[in-house]
């Protein structure tokens, strides 16, 4: 596979420093540590107590944040705290310095002056500022410093939001910009957008404007807070948190600062008056209602109810159901069609949609070429930074370019000349030369959208080798095949399992394939077994069919485990239950960093029965240094707790620690690169002369004494009210299987013995009323029942 000349291999940063341990600084340090970078996190020296107390406290607060900024607790070991007085000399040892102190140019400039005196010749320097011009921050520095200085604007929270705005100064060397862009993409998993050095760059300039337009619907047009959040949420392809919930998450004090700073920074913006802090926001902040961090903002949870702020009553009131016509009908449509329907609706819903959307699209168009030269960068910034499914210009195309333009003109919305000059049949995006192209206003042309080769691999060979209702087998590259799950939620039903076995056998026998990748681009890799299939068989009393399916699943995963050619399972997002067992069975997986694995079967009244118990028992025995039963028990206790408490990994790195992902499995920071890395791994293993290593014929298990120790743990969980009575019963069943069943003491048992125990326990539990109740509840309510 040839490298992409436009994206040569990047020289990674091994050491970095973050200046400023505030909310953003601490989280940036955390994400660098997630990526394997060793980080110095520095801030002011404490006036009392330990000199590093302020930074240590900030690190402690960061570790408690939800969602978690760190992949796992182990990443913390790569963060070293310090202060500006005692540890500034450390900056001479790092490859990258990121400034994230308070948004004051004089303070930032003084830090850069100190830094320049000690920094190494190779060190790159950047600022996480969101509003101060990069050129201003570089004033007074030498040419050498300015050539290595740029803006790197992370979005909050840095681990989860994809956008990374990269801003060159007037003297920044292009090779340093390219290195930073590739490091952010490959090693930090970011979507990089190069922005111009304009106030608040692209994302916040347009995204905050969109939020304020939505809020105006409540202030000026009488929509309720709940209605605004419906109109600016999933209905239009935006996150569920929509407008007011997003503000609560960001923090109302932070929102005020951003809006106020934007107002001051854009004196020539024709919409400057929109960037004003509302009296309601001022009032909430004065009352100490700052959003999620104070458990009260625009919304507040009172017992089990979510209440919204009513400024007239100066209190939180019960939420009102939205009075917006045809919502249910709209939500059944694909997003592009939904937007078109909203644009054309002659009712309260359509009117609100047009009042917000049309001014937003016009504003985005007017920001070109101020913030960027093309629509693509705007769309990517908004999609990656605010979580929208479509950016402004993609939405415009979906509704019909000329129809939207004509309506804007009727409403008197100002449009730039480049939009007015476009033909009625034009669009911002179109297919051209077998790929996608975007309109470039500067010369009225469409330019090809370049996607790095290591991110475009998934769509390179779309023609199927074999297609069924639930899977697709096709080429990923000329010599590597891929099997995609396409069942509902990518569940692993009996047909999917049969297709999995077929794919492995096909690749083994085909001379022109080196191996197989198992992966997909669904919302989740797989939520596990097809519970509906199990529930239906239970209703029809087809217990024999269920046992046959469980046995087939075990055999299929053994087929993957022992394949004669490399098989690479490539999970992403949720990979639960049977999908975790599939990953565990695979000798050579590649995982997206944001992969969440867990053996969660106890949540539906069952235990893992696809080899999960076998592999946990194997791992415990193999990890015991001398193989003594006490050492095996120490290893097994952690695995038992994970399954008994239905714990799910916080990341792929955490899954490795939990034993759900092989220790040496590559973790890919940018999810879209996992197919490239998986294909490369297949080819490397094939070139090396791959043969599956022979498993030990037996597993050292602990018998009844080990089960008793695990049952004692379950008792303690129950006494602490962490699990229910039935959970404790299930945990006892799990303990028996993990320790080899009814054995008087420790023994070496065949691997098949543990597979049989799994399957038999699974079938017994299906006969219990409380298990059936859990299965029914999950199918009906989509959440677990703790009976």
């Amino acid at each position: 596979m040839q490298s992409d000349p436009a994206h040569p291999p990047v020289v990674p940063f091994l050491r970095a420093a973050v200046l400023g341990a505030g909310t953003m600084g601490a989280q940036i340090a955390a994400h660098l540590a997630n990526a394997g970078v060793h980080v110095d996190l520095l801030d002011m020296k404490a006036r009392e107590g330990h000199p590093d107390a302020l930074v240590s406290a900030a690190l402690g607060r960061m570790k408690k944040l939800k969602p978690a900024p760190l992949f796992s607790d182990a990443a913390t070991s790569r963060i070293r705290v310090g202060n500006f007085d005692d540890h500034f000399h450390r900056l001479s040892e790092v490859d990258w310095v990121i400034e994230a102190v308070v948004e004051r140019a004089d303070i930032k400039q003084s830090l850069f002056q100190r830094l320049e005196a000690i920094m190494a010749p190779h060190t790159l320097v950047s600022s996480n500022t969101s509003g101060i011009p990069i050129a201003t921050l570089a004033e007074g520095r030498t040419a050498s410093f300015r050539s290595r200085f740029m803006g790197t604007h992370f979005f909050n929270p840095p681990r989860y939001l994809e956008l990374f705005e990269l801003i060159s100064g007037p003297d920044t060397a292009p090779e340093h910009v390219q290195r930073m862009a590739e490091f952010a993409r490959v090693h930090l998993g970011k979507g990089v957008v190069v922005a111009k050095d304009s106030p608040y760059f692209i994302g916040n300039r347009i995204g905050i404007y969109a939020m304020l337009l939505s809020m105006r619907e409540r202030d000026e047009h009488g929509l309720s807070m709940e209605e605004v959040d419906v109109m600016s949420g999933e209905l239009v392809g935006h996150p569920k948190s929509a407008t007011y919930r997003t503000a609560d998450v960001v923090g109302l004090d932070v929102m005020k600062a951003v809006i106020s700073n934007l107002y001051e920074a854009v004196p020539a913006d024709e919409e400057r008056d929109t960037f004003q802090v509302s009296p309601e926001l001022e009032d909430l902040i004065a009352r100490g209602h700052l959003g999620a961090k104070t458990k009260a903002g625009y919304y507040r949870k009172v017992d089990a109810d979510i209440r919204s702020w009513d400024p007239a009553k100066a209190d939180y009131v019960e939420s009102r159901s939205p009075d917006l016509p045809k919502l249910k009908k709209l939500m059944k449509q694909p997003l592009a069609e939904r937007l078109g329907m909203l644009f054309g609706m002659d009712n309260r819903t359509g009117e609100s949609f047009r009042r917000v959307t049309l001014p937003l699209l016009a504003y985005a168009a007017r920001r070109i070429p101020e913030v960027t030269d093309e629509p693509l960068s705007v769309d990517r910034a908004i999609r990656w930074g605010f979580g929208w499914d479509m950016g402004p210009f993609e939405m415009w195309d979906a509704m019909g370019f000329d129809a939207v333009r004509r309506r804007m003109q009727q409403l008197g919305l100002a449009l730039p000349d480049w939009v007015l000059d476009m033909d009625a049949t034009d669009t911002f995006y179109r297919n051209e030369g077998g790929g996608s192209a975007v309109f470039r206003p500067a010369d009225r042309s469409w330019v090809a959208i370049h996607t790095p080769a290591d991110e475009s691999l998934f769509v390179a060979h779309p023609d199927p080798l074999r297609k069924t209702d639930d899977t697709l087998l096709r080429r990923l590259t000329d010599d590597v095949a891929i099997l995609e799950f396409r069942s509902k939620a990518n569940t692993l039903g009996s047909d999917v399992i049969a297709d999995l076995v077929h794919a492995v056998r096909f690749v083994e026998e085909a001379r022109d394939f080196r191996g197989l990748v198992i992966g997909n681009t669904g919302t989740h890799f797989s939520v596990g077994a097809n519970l509906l299939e199990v529930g239906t068989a239970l209703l029809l009393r087809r217990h024999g069919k269920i046992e046959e399916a469980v046995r087939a699943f075990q055999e299929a995963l053994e087929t993957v485990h022992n394949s004669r050619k490399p098989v690479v399972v490539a999970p992403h997002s949720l990979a639960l239950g049977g999908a975790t067992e599939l990953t565990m069975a695979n000798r050579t997986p590649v995982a997206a960093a944001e992969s969440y694995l867990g053996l969660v079967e106890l949540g539906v009244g069952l235990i893992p029965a696809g080899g999960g118990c076998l592999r946990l028992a194997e791992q415990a025995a193999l990890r015991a240094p001398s193989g003594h039963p006490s050492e095996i028990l120490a290893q097994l206790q952690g695995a038992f707790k994970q399954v008994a408490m239905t714990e799910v990994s916080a990341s792929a790195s955490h899954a490795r620690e939990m034993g759900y992902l092989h220790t040496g499995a590559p973790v890919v920071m940018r999810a879209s690169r996992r197919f490239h890395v998986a294909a490369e791994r297949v080819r490397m293993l094939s070139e090396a002369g791959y043969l599956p290593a022979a498993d030990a014929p037996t597993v050292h298990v602990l018998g009844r004494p080990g089960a008793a120790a695990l049952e004692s743990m379950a008792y303690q969980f129950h006494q602490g009210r962490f699990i229910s009575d039935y959970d404790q019963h299930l945990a006892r069943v799990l303990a028996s299987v993990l320790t080899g069943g009814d054995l008087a003491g420790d023994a070496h048992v065949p691997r098949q013995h543990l597979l049989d125990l799994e399957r038999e326990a699974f079938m017994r539990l299906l006969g219990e009323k409380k298990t059936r109740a859990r299965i029914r509840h999950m199918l009906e309510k989509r959440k677990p029942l703790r009976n």
Side-chain angles (χ1 to χ4, degrees):
M1 192 175 297
Q2 295 182 342
S3 63
D4 183 358
H7 295 269
V10 64
V11 178
F13 301 112
L14 300 181
R15 296 202 60 86
V18 178
L19 309 183
T23 300
M24 280 301 291
Q27 289 192 75
I28 290 169
H31 195 55
L32 290 170
N34 288 338
V37 179
H38 290 268
V39 189
D40 281 292
L41 178 61
L42 308 184
D43 209 317
M44 300 292 292
K45 186 175 183 176
R47 294 179 180 177
E48 298 178 354
H50 193 282
D52 301 334
L54 294 177
V55 186
S56 296
L59 191 63
R61 289 192 297 273
M62 178 273 291
K63 291 166 66 175
K64 295 178 182 178
L65 290 175
K66 299 294 180 184
L70 292 163
F71 282 171
S72 74
D73 290 340
T76 312
S77 66
R78 290 187 284 275
I79 301 176
R80 180 171 60 165
V81 300
N83 64 78
F84 293 153
D85 290 355
D86 301 329
H87 305 113
F88 208 78
H89 64 276
R90 294 180 188 170
L91 305 185
S92 65
E93 305 167 357
V94 305
D95 303 313
W96 178 18
V97 177
I98 307 166
E99 172 276 307
V101 299
V102 65
E103 284 287 271
R104 278 182 50 184
D106 58 335
I107 294 176
K108 293 175 187 287
Q109 288 171 329
S110 68
L111 278 175
F112 295 141
Q113 182 176 11
R114 287 183 65 189
L115 174 61
E116 185 172 19
I118 64 167
M119 62 189 277
H122 70 277
T123 302
L124 300 190
V125 184
S126 68
S127 173
N128 188 57
T129 182
S130 57
I132 302 174
I134 300 303
T136 299
L137 295 179
E139 288 176 358
R141 304 279 58 81
T142 65
S144 175
F145 183 99
R146 295 196 308 272
S147 73
R148 291 177 280 151
F149 181 65
M150 65 198 80
T152 54
H153 184 216
F154 291 81
F155 269 59
N156 189 20
R159 170 182 169 182
Y160 298 96
L161 285 184
E162 191 175 354
L163 180 60
F164 181 89
E165 289 180 314
L166 183 54
I167 308 97
S168 294
D171 302 310
T172 311
E175 63 269 23
H176 296 324
V177 175
Q178 183 178 24
R179 182 187 179 195
M180 185 66 72
E182 274 300 274
F183 180 83
R185 186 182 73 90
V186 174
H187 294 274
L188 301 181
K190 294 300 178 183
V192 179
V193 171
V194 176
K196 292 187 178 183
D197 194 7
S198 59
Y200 282 77
F201 313 127
I202 303 173
N204 278 337
R205 182 75 173 275
I206 295 172
I208 296 299
Y209 180 76
M211 290 183 69
L212 295 174
L213 283 179
S214 291
M215 289 179 171
R216 198 160 70 188
E217 284 297 283
R218 180 161 165 260
D219 298 336
E220 299 180 9
H221 298 283
L223 270 71
S224 68
M225 191 179 296
E226 293 80 4
E227 287 172 336
V228 170
D229 274 353
V230 167
M231 291 299 305
S232 58
E234 293 175 310
L235 177 68
V236 292
H238 299 180
K240 190 174 183 178
S241 56
T243 298
Y244 287 104
R245 293 185 194 279
T246 295
D248 277 350
V249 171
V250 169
L252 303 195
D253 53 339
V254 176
M255 279 290 295
K256 176 185 175 180
V258 171
I259 295 168
S260 299
N261 290 342
L262 253 171
Y263 180 83
E264 295 299 325
V266 291
D269 192 313
E270 72 283 354
E271 290 291 327
R272 186 189 189 203
D273 286 346
T274 302
F275 298 109
Q276 296 198 58
V277 178
S278 69
E280 179 183 36
L281 181 57
E282 295 274 20
D283 183 40
L284 284 167
I285 293 171
R287 294 172 183 270
H289 301 331
L290 306 182
K293 56 190 170 187
T294 60
K295 301 187 185 304
Y298 284 110
Y299 290 102
R300 182 178 185 178
K301 188 173 183 179
V302 179
D303 298 324
D305 297 328
I306 301 295
R307 298 186 181 181
S308 54
W309 178 255
D310 186 334
K313 296 181 179 179
D315 198 0
Y316 292 92
V317 298
E318 291 185 5
S319 297
R320 290 182 285 170
S321 296
D323 180 21
L324 297 168
K326 298 186 178 181
L327 283 183
K328 289 184 179 180
K329 179 181 178 182
L330 283 167
M331 289 304 296
K332 293 179 181 179
Q333 305 301 317
L335 177 58
E337 295 179 22
R338 196 156 70 234
L339 294 174
M341 293 172 67
L342 283 163
F343 175 63
M345 278 186 171
D346 187 19
N347 57 27
R348 190 167 181 257
T349 305
E351 289 167 359
S352 176
F353 175 78
R354 288 187 294 275
R355 280 195 303 265
V356 171
T357 304
L358 299 188
L360 168 64
L361 303 188
Y363 183 77
R366 294 196 301 270
R367 298 284 68 78
I368 294 175
E370 178 191 353
V371 300
T372 184
D373 288 328
E374 60 180 27
L376 178 64
S377 294
V378 171
D379 286 342
R380 284 178 168 174
I382 298 301
R383 282 195 281 110
W384 293 342
F386 286 80
W388 293 17
D389 292 337
M390 287 184 178
F393 295 101
E394 292 164 324
M395 294 174 68
W396 195 332
D397 273 356
M399 292 182 285
F401 166 73
D402 193 50
V404 170
R405 180 174 63 177
R406 282 187 279 109
R407 180 62 71 93
M408 289 176 173
Q409 291 174 307
Q410 291 169 6
L411 294 172
L413 294 173
L415 289 170
D417 290 342
W418 68 268
V419 171
L420 295 173
D421 291 342
M422 291 174 70
D423 294 336
T425 56
D426 280 343
T427 54
F428 297 107
Y429 296 90
R430 71 184 188 187
N431 294 323
E432 191 171 84
S436 297
V438 62
F439 185 75
R440 184 167 59 190
D443 58 5
R444 289 187 43 78
S445 66
W446 278 264
V447 293
I449 298 174
H450 175 75
T451 301
D454 60 0
E455 293 188 42
S456 59
L457 184 60
F458 184 80
V459 295
H461 299 267
D463 295 334
L465 297 167
R466 182 173 184 262
K467 186 176 182 180
T468 70
D469 290 341
D470 294 322
T471 65
L472 174 67
L473 178 66
R474 63 179 178 85
R475 291 181 187 272
L476 183 59
T477 68
D478 290 341
D479 54 2
V480 178
I482 183 169
L483 179 71
E484 303 172 43
F485 303 148
R486 294 193 167 188
S487 54
K488 186 175 182 180
N490 292 330
T491 51
L492 304 177
S494 55
D495 290 341
V496 172
I497 298 309
D499 292 345
L500 173 61
V501 174
H502 175 274
V504 174
R505 298 300 185 214
F506 173 85
V507 167
E508 284 181 327
E509 295 167 8
R511 293 176 63 87
D512 55 339
F513 284 107
R514 292 178 178 268
L516 174 70
V517 172
I518 300 171
N520 60 72
T521 56
T523 302
H524 303 295
F525 175 73
S526 171
V527 297
N530 187 332
L531 203 58
L532 179 61
E533 190 174 85
V534 174
T536 301
L538 275 175
L539 285 174
L540 298 174
R541 301 181 183 277
R542 294 178 177 173
H543 296 83
K545 182 177 179 180
I546 296 175
E547 183 164 12
E548 180 183 320
V550 175
R551 190 188 304 273
F553 185 44
Q554 292 179 332
E555 292 172 352
L557 298 200
E558 287 295 285
T559 298
V560 169
H561 184 66
N562 295 312
S563 171
R564 289 175 292 160
K565 288 185 178 179
V567 173
V568 173
V569 176
H572 69 283
S573 193
L574 290 180
L576 302 177
T580 294
E581 292 179 293
L582 171 61
T583 307
M584 293 172 71
N586 186 217
R587 299 174 188 269
T588 55
V590 167
E594 298 297 345
S595 294
Y596 315 114
L597 282 69
L599 296 174
V600 296
E601 288 84 351
L602 269 73
V604 290
L606 299 167
I607 68 163
C613 293
L614 160 66
R615 297 185 209 289
L616 290 176
E618 278 185 315
Q619 287 177 18
L622 291 170
R623 292 176 177 178
S626 65
H628 191 274
S630 63
E631 295 172 344
I632 296 174
L633 178 61
Q635 296 291 332
L636 199 57
Q637 285 173 325
F640 174 74
K641 176 179 178 291
Q642 290 168 190
V643 183
M645 303 287 282
T646 62
E647 294 177 0
V648 176
S649 74
S651 65
S653 299
H654 188 210
R656 285 195 299 209
E657 297 172 19
M658 296 173 75
Y660 294 156
L661 192 65
H662 280 256
T663 304
V667 171
V668 183
M669 293 294 285
R670 187 154 178 78
S672 55
R673 296 187 66 249
R674 68 189 182 278
F675 302 107
H676 164 79
V677 176
E680 287 291 290
R681 193 165 202 209
V682 167
R683 298 186 74 206
M684 180 196 70
L685 292 166
S686 175
E687 282 292 319
Y690 177 80
L691 284 175
D695 293 308
T698 61
V699 181
H700 191 176
V701 295
L702 301 180
R704 288 197 298 272
L710 298 182
E711 288 175 11
S712 176
M713 289 180 63
Y715 173 78
Q716 293 172 22
F717 298 155
H718 183 261
Q719 289 297 107
R721 297 188 177 182
F722 296 110
I723 62 175
S724 68
D725 293 349
Y726 194 57
D727 287 326
Q728 185 179 10
H729 166 67
L730 296 169
R732 292 194 192 102
V733 175
L734 173 67
S736 178
V737 173
L738 287 174
T739 55
D742 191 17
L743 301 172
D746 71 298
H748 289 78
V749 300
R751 299 175 79 255
Q752 187 60 47
H753 174 74
L754 289 169
L755 288 172
D756 291 342
L757 284 178
E758 285 185 3
R759 188 178 64 258
E760 291 161 5
F762 185 94
M763 293 307 301
R764 285 198 309 275
L765 290 171
L766 279 176
E768 299 199 18
K769 288 183 180 179
K770 288 191 175 182
T771 287
R772 293 179 180 225
R774 287 191 175 197
I775 292 173
R776 184 169 59 251
H777 190 271
M778 180 62 78
L779 289 171
E780 293 175 355
K781 306 293 185 180
R782 304 297 180 189
K783 59 184 179 180
L785 170 67
R786 292 299 184 190
N787 52 0

